[in-house]
Amino acid sequence: MTFDQLGLSEPLLQAITAAGYTEPTPIQSQAIPSVLSMNDVTGIAQTGTGKTAAFVLPMIDRLASGRSRARMPRSLVIAPTRELAAQVAENFEKYGVNHKLTMALLIGGVSFGDQDKALMQGVDVLIATPGRLIDQFERGKLLLTGVEMLVIDEADRMLDMGFIPDIERICKLLPPRRQTLLFSATMPPEIAKLAAQFQNDPKRIEASRPAQTADTISQYVVQLKSNDHKARRTALRRVIESCDVKNGIVFCNRKTEVDIVAKSLTKHGQDAAPIHGDLPQSYRTQTLEKFRSGDLKLLVASDVAARGLDIPDVGHVFNYSPPPNSDDYVHRIGRTGRAGRSGESFTLVCPEDEKLWDAVKKRVQKEIEVYTLDGLDDEIAELQPPSRSSSRSRSGRSDRSTNNNKRGNSEQTKSNRSRKSDDRQGDFLPPAPSGPVVGLGDHVPAFLQKSV
Ligand code: ADP
Ligand code: MG
């Protein structure tokens, strides 16, 4: 199959050639004709297989005729994180070089000024994170009644508990007669069911089974005998040292852990920096840019970096522990092995992680090879004298993280997500309380005041 068999226009084909693509990926060859025929589409394909172009290319051709009006975008793309939204915008620029379409990027953490100006001038494409989109709507800068096409990238994340109130609200502001496209590498059945209310007779296109990890990734598990975090950090260092790492992402389950692990790696001579939702946007952008350009070797990240980010030559992904949600494993390791390149992933699994790890194995339905390091168990055993080790791990940090993992999936996620989802994006586990919690004081959070 070639791109010119898909029904795309000549200027678009030229942009595709300029991007260096010779043939469409499976999701592109299946989804593009459907989108051009105005169908609603749910597209499932492995990480790094070109889902972005599968919707951006036909959108450009669909929008080529017609004109934008002030404050009334003609299409809307929503994504869970600012970084991903910015990346989709770059894709629009790349594939749209031969078109005169206008675009605005609405993300949190940056000033309103430029966004206001772009909206006033009228845009064909609006790319946004939900929080900032709603803010701009509430400020009267935006009308969504002219939106002909809606794309929800990382759709299952956007329709999960944290984001769903925002998405429901946004969809109510859109005209019911529109084209709606959903894309992801994962799609749990319960979310697919929920998605039906936002689409009209959608065509489901599966270039792969949901949650199928990319074939280009060699996956390994490092089994540890201790729950102690010092042991975990030692193991992480040894694993990194043992493979020839040019660059890699280390994923942690909590923001506090991200900070600690980044500091520890730096202290031990590794070039590492943290990224998570509590850091200022300017720092996040700068750090990601450094990593992208090869100036930073290890990005230590929360799940804010797990979805969608496309840095094609990332060679390694390390999971400091398995993620609380097994689908996130697919996305985390999917930051490597992109666009046909090969990559390796390593997941540290302590005894306390067994349940999470079982869920991952069940989800990905693949045998994951055990990776052993000579002398690691002995080194870890030496970290703690045997007489004290068991009591220390029971009363110390490891116990806390067991509880946190349990909490991570449900109630905490729901209650901690404020309407400003844009500002907490990707980080679904709250930081560990630093002091004793004695009550809510005078401040009653908005979510407690809502009627059920
Ligand atoms: P996904 O959303 O499926 O995870 P992306 O859309 O981020 O994947 O694309 C992954 C990478 O593949 C990008 O760097 C993109 O430039 C590249 N890519 C997309 N389509 C093609 C193609 N047809 N041929 C070669 N590379 C492609
Ligand atoms: Mg993507």
Side-chain angles (χ1 to χ4, degrees):
M1 169 83 61
T2 54
F3 273 108
D4 54 13
Q5 291 170 294
L6 300 179
L8 297 168
S9 69
E10 194 48 43
L12 206 47
L13 292 173
Q14 283 168 14
I16 293 167
T17 307
Y21 305 162
T22 48
E23 55 178 323
T25 62
I27 187 71
Q28 290 165 1
S29 51
Q30 292 175 63
I32 290 172
S34 252
V35 178
L36 287 174
S37 328
M38 321 264 274
N39 287 312
D40 279 9
V41 167
T42 300
I44 312 290
Q46 290 152 300
T47 51
T49 60
K51 291 187 286 296
T52 320
F55 63 81
V56 171
L57 294 172
M59 272 181 91
I60 291 174
D61 265 352
R62 284 263 282 106
L63 296 168
S65 56
R67 292 192 59 195
S68 60
R69 286 188 283 163
R71 295 190 300 146
M72 290 183 69
R74 298 170 60 212
S75 66
L76 172 64
V77 181
I78 34 190
T81 66
R82 300 163 186 173
E83 286 79 5
L84 181 53
Q87 185 181 291
V88 173
E90 279 168 22
N91 274 257
F92 260 100
E93 273 163 6
K94 179 163 74 174
Y95 305 133
V97 281
N98 300 324
H99 289 78
K100 286 204 171 63
L101 295 177
T102 50
M103 183 184 75
L105 176 65
L106 297 192
I107 54 175
V110 296
S111 74
F112 282 94
D114 291 346
Q115 297 179 359
D116 290 355
K117 218 157 72 191
L119 289 172
M120 255 332 276
Q121 282 164 359
V123 292
D124 297 298
V125 186
L126 187 61
I127 303 168
T129 46
R132 182 55 70 97
L133 181 72
I134 292 175
D135 281 347
Q136 288 286 27
F137 177 80
E138 285 175 349
R139 293 172 71 236
K141 302 287 177 190
L142 187 62
L143 273 173
L144 292 172
T145 44
V147 171
E148 301 156 34
M149 292 181 88
L150 166 70
V151 181
I152 309 184
D153 198 13
E154 305 297 340
D156 54 328
R157 163 63 80 233
M158 302 303 281
L159 300 178
D160 78 8
M161 278 189 309
F163 277 114
I164 191 71
D166 286 350
I167 301 300
E168 277 174 341
R169 181 153 177 222
I170 291 166
C171 285
K172 278 194 192 126
L173 303 173
L174 301 171
R177 271 175 59 89
R178 59 162 197 266
Q179 187 177 19
T180 304
L181 315 174
L182 310 183
F183 283 87
S184 187
T186 50
M187 186 59 75
E190 65 277 12
I191 301 269
K193 228 186 250 168
L194 194 68
Q197 63 178 296
F198 301 106
Q199 289 183 298
N200 180 15
D201 193 17
K203 197 165 167 193
R204 187 173 166 110
I205 297 174
E206 285 192 15
S208 68
R209 144 183 86 66
Q212 188 173 334
T213 50
D215 306 326
T216 43
I217 312 167
S218 307
Q219 303 173 46
Y220 302 95
V221 55
V222 182
Q223 265 150 352
L224 304 176
K225 294 198 177 105
S226 162
N227 285 327
D228 184 77
H229 277 248
K230 204 163 174 194
R232 227 192 254 266
R233 291 198 294 272
T234 304
L236 174 67
R237 283 202 308 279
R238 295 292 166 259
V239 174
I240 292 173
E241 286 158 10
S242 74
C243 34
D244 188 18
V245 179
K246 188 180 122 230
N247 63 359
I249 307 181
V250 180
F251 282 104
C252 302
N253 288 355
R254 335 181 101 254
K255 292 180 250 190
T256 44
E257 237 166 43
V258 170
D259 289 330
I260 293 167
V261 170
K263 244 187 221 154
S264 154
L265 285 169
T266 310
K267 198 178 104 192
H268 287 88
Q270 292 283 355
D271 178 24
I275 188 163
H276 59 67
D278 278 356
L279 293 166
Q281 188 56 39
S282 55
Y283 180 88
R284 275 163 65 168
T285 309
Q286 224 176 39
T287 306
L288 195 62
E289 207 30 65
K290 267 171 78 179
F291 184 65
R292 220 182 259 279
S293 65
D295 284 343
L296 173 70
K297 180 178 160 189
L298 295 171
L299 186 69
V300 187
S302 66
D303 279 315
V304 77
R307 290 261 180 173
L309 284 191
D310 179 51
I311 303 171
D313 67 347
V314 171
H316 287 84
V317 167
F318 304 94
N319 287 312
Y320 185 66
S321 35
N325 177 338
S326 56
D327 274 335
D328 286 337
Y329 174 83
V330 177
H331 295 281
R332 285 179 176 190
I333 70 164
R335 295 318 99 210
T336 184
R338 300 183 67 74
R341 289 175 170 86
S342 60
E344 289 185 335
S345 77
F346 293 83
T347 303
L348 304 186
V349 176
C350 297
E352 68 181 13
D353 301 328
E354 277 308 328
K355 259 196 187 145
L356 296 181
W357 185 237
D358 284 346
V360 166
K361 285 189 290 188
K362 205 166 143 204
R363 186 61 109 203
V364 304
Q365 290 175 33
K366 255 187 197 164
E367 262 312 306
I368 299 173
E369 205 176 310
V370 176
Y371 187 79
T372 43
L373 278 166
D374 288 345
L376 179 63
D377 284 343
D378 293 343
E379 188 179 352
I380 285 173
E382 275 170 27
L383 290 174
Q384 294 166 307
S387 57
R388 292 183 54 207
S389 66
S390 62
S391 70
R392 203 193 289 180
S393 78
R394 214 175 295 134
S395 62
R397 277 173 290 185
S398 15
D399 245 20
R400 201 172 74 193
S401 74
T402 309
N403 291 339
N404 293 337
N405 286 338
K406 265 191 224 137
R407 282 190 306 169
N409 282 333
S410 51
E411 287 310 304
Q412 286 293 327
T413 310
K414 197 164 28 175
S415 60
N416 273 282
R417 177 166 290 285
S418 68
R419 231 264 305 117
K420 296 231 182 253
S421 40
D422 183 40
D423 289 327
R424 295 188 15 85
Q425 7 139 357
D427 295 324
F428 299 104
L429 291 170
S434 50
V437 177
V438 289
L440 293 167
D442 290 329
H443 173 68
V444 181
F447 69 83
L448 282 181
Q449 295 175 340
K450 273 189 196 159
S451 58
V452 178

